């Protein structure tokens, strides 16, 4: 990698920690600083070995606070912004923290990136900004039609980035990927929740008719795409990242149960998520022109992911205990009660 030093915000979260682990492994000369507020979603365990060995400098700090951003960005040649509030269900309950982190926090980062003249700023965004797709693949010029407060906040961050690229010529790129899965993903999200519930012998709460579709990408493939865009993307441009093989949630749930060795009777159809986006579909040819292509097939990657959760039971049991357990029970009690069919 041509980068001497990078700042990774949100590097203790799911994709951020996988990204940091990949860069540390494959580009040991790159100096890595992680800035992370360690919200409920952040987990220092995800990168503890790298911090302990000195491969990563960790700063606990909040992108909503300009002073923290200023300190962390010192000497960074390239900034990767993974820090965000990310869970759609939480954003439906309460969106203020999403607006603060995903928009205001992004603005703080952009301001200092400009002042400190970083070589490149990389905004990690999502396919959800285009909203639900009714059969059509969205490309990078498609209109933004967010379907929930999370994706609306991500739109705000993206638009501020594009404004900085245009107004101040800040050299930045935006990646918009489809749903990621893999090691270190928080248990509130669909795939880890279903794997760990299955392992605990609990029900798997499927929203609505279970036929909502997502185009799952293995986290390592997304991390490689982000690196490719950072190195070779054009200033001011957006790059969609996707595999192009959407599948219904029900099929994914059945595959998880098969790998965990449980029967489909554990699936419970519950009240649908409010405003639930039916499908996200991306046209992602632009990133392929940069030389990227996914290396991983869904089925073996899912098997590897299930194995990771089996081998790292302590990791997710700690995440799933305490505050999360309370949140989960409050959130799902009602909806589970409304579950009718198995
Ligand atoms: P995550 O929720 O697992 O991790 C987010 C990280 O950001 C956590 O470590 C958290 O502590 C940190 N953070 C949150 N608010 C912060 C703040 N104010 N200051 C500093 N740190 C803060 O999220 P993820 O799934 O790894 O997603 C990373 C990025 O990728 C997000 O921007 C998300 O929108 C985007 N994305 C995710 C997916 C997906 O499927 N997970 C798909 C497309 C895009
Ligand atoms: P999620 O992992 O929350 O990602 P996103 O909503 O950002 O795509 O959910 C993925 C899909 O799984 C989505 O269609 C909602 C569905 N889902 C369930 O059916 N049950 C659940 O308990 C969760 C968390 C998600």
């Amino acid at each position: 990698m041509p980068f001497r030093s990078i700042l990774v915000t949100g590097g203790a979260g799911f994709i951020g920690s996988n990204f940091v682990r990949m860069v540390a492994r494959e580009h040991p000369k790159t100096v890595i600083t992680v800035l992370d507020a360690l919200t409920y979603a952040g987990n220092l365990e995800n990168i503890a070995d790298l911090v302990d060995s000195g491969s990563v400098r960790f700063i606990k700090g909040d992108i909503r606070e300009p002073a923290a951003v200023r300190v962390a960005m010192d000497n960074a040649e390239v900034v990767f912004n993974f820090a965000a509030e990310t869970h759609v269900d939480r954003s439906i309950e309460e969106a203020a923290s999403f607006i603060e982190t995903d928009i205001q926090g992004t603005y703080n980062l952009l301001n200092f990136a400009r002042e400190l003249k970083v070589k490149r700023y990389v905004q990690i965004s999502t396919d959800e900004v285009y909203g639900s797709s009714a059969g059509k693949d969205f490309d990078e010029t498609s209109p933004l039609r967010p379907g929930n407060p999370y994706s609306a906040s991500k739109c705000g961050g993206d638009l501020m980035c594009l404004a900085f690229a245009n107004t101040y010529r800040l050299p930045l790129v935006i990646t918009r990927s489809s749903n990621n899965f893999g090691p270190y993903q928080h248990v509130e999200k669909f795939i880890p929740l279903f794997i760990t519930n299955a392992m605990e012998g609990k029900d798997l709460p499927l929203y609505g008719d279970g036929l909502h579709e997502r185009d799952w990408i293995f986290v390592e493939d997304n991390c490689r795409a982000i690196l490719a865009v950072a190195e070779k993307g054009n200033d001011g441009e957006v790059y969609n990242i996707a595999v192009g093989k959407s599948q219904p949630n029900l099929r994914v749930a059945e595959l998880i149960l098969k790998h965990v060795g449980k029967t489909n009777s554990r699936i419970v159809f519950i009240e649908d998520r409010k405003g639930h986006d039916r499908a996200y579909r991306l046209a992602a040819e632009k990133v392929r022109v940069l030389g990227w292509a996914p290396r991983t097939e869904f089925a073996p990657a899912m098997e590897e992911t299930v194995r990771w959760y089996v081998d790292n039971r302590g990791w997710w049991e700690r995440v799933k205990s305490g505050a999360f357990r309370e949140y989960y029970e409050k959130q799902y009690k009602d909806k589970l009660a409304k579950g009718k069919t198995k």
Side-chain angles (χ1 to χ4, degrees), residues 87-89 128 179 188-190 193-194 205-207 212 214 216 249 273 276 280 332:
H87 192 34
V88 173
D89 291 328
E128 302 197 22
N179 285 66
E188 69 185 353
K189 303 286 165 49
F190 175 57
L193 180 73
F194 276 33
L206 209 45
Y207 294 159
H212 297 77
R214 296 292 184 265
W216 294 99
N249 294 335
R273 171 187 279 172
H276 195 172
Y280 302 123
Y332 286 93

Side-chain angles (χ1 to χ4, degrees), residues 86-89 126-128 148 150 178-180 185-194 197 204-216 247-250 252-253 268 270-273 276-280 327-328 332 335:
T86 60
H87 192 34
V88 173
D89 291 328
T126 167
D127 60 355
E128 302 197 22
N148 57 63
Y150 159 65
S178 59
N179 285 66
N180 286 224
Q185 186 168 28
H186 195 285
V187 293
E188 69 185 353
K189 303 286 165 49
F190 175 57
I191 287 179
L193 180 73
F194 276 33
N197 274 13
L204 275 53
L206 209 45
Y207 294 159
D209 61 6
L211 299 180
H212 297 77
E213 290 181 7
R214 296 292 184 265
D215 180 8
W216 294 99
Q247 48 188 328
N249 294 335
L250 177 59
V252 175
V268 185
I270 64 165
E271 185 187 29
D272 207 355
R273 171 187 279 172
H276 195 172
D277 286 337
R278 196 70 179 163
Y280 302 123
Y327 157 79
Y328 179 84
Y332 286 93
K335 292 180 185 168

Side-chain angles (χ1 to χ4, degrees), residues 276-290:
H276 195 172
D277 286 337
R278 196 70 179 163
Y280 302 123
R281 288 203 199 91
L282 294 183
E285 284 77 32
K286 198 170 160 185
V287 67
R288 291 184 182 243
V289 174
L290 303 181

Side-chain angles (χ1 to χ4, degrees), residues 11 22 32 47 54 66 117 154 173 177 198 250 260 309 311 342:
M22 176 182 283
I32 307 169
I47 51 169
K117 299 188 170 50
K154 293 297 291 184
V173 283
S177 89
L250 177 59
V260 178
Y309 283 88
D311 293 345
K342 281 223 178 192

Side-chain angles (χ1 to χ4, degrees), residues 16-74:
S17 65
N18 275 279
F19 182 79
V20 163
R21 301 190 76 81
M22 176 182 283
V23 173
R25 190 170 63 238
E26 298 183 4
H27 307 282
K29 290 205 178 117
T30 299
V31 176
I32 307 169
T33 299
V34 166
L35 174 70
D36 198 299
L38 298 181
T39 68
Y40 80 91
N43 187 347
L44 200 46
E45 270 191 56
N46 298 357
I47 51 169
D49 53 333
L50 300 176
V51 175
D52 290 347
S53 68
S55 309
V56 167
R57 178 171 74 126
F58 178 76
I59 300 174
K60 183 172 184 307
D62 199 313
I63 64 165
R64 292 173 296 184
E65 289 168 11
V69 172
R70 174 67 185 81
V71 168
M73 210 181 283
D74 219 20

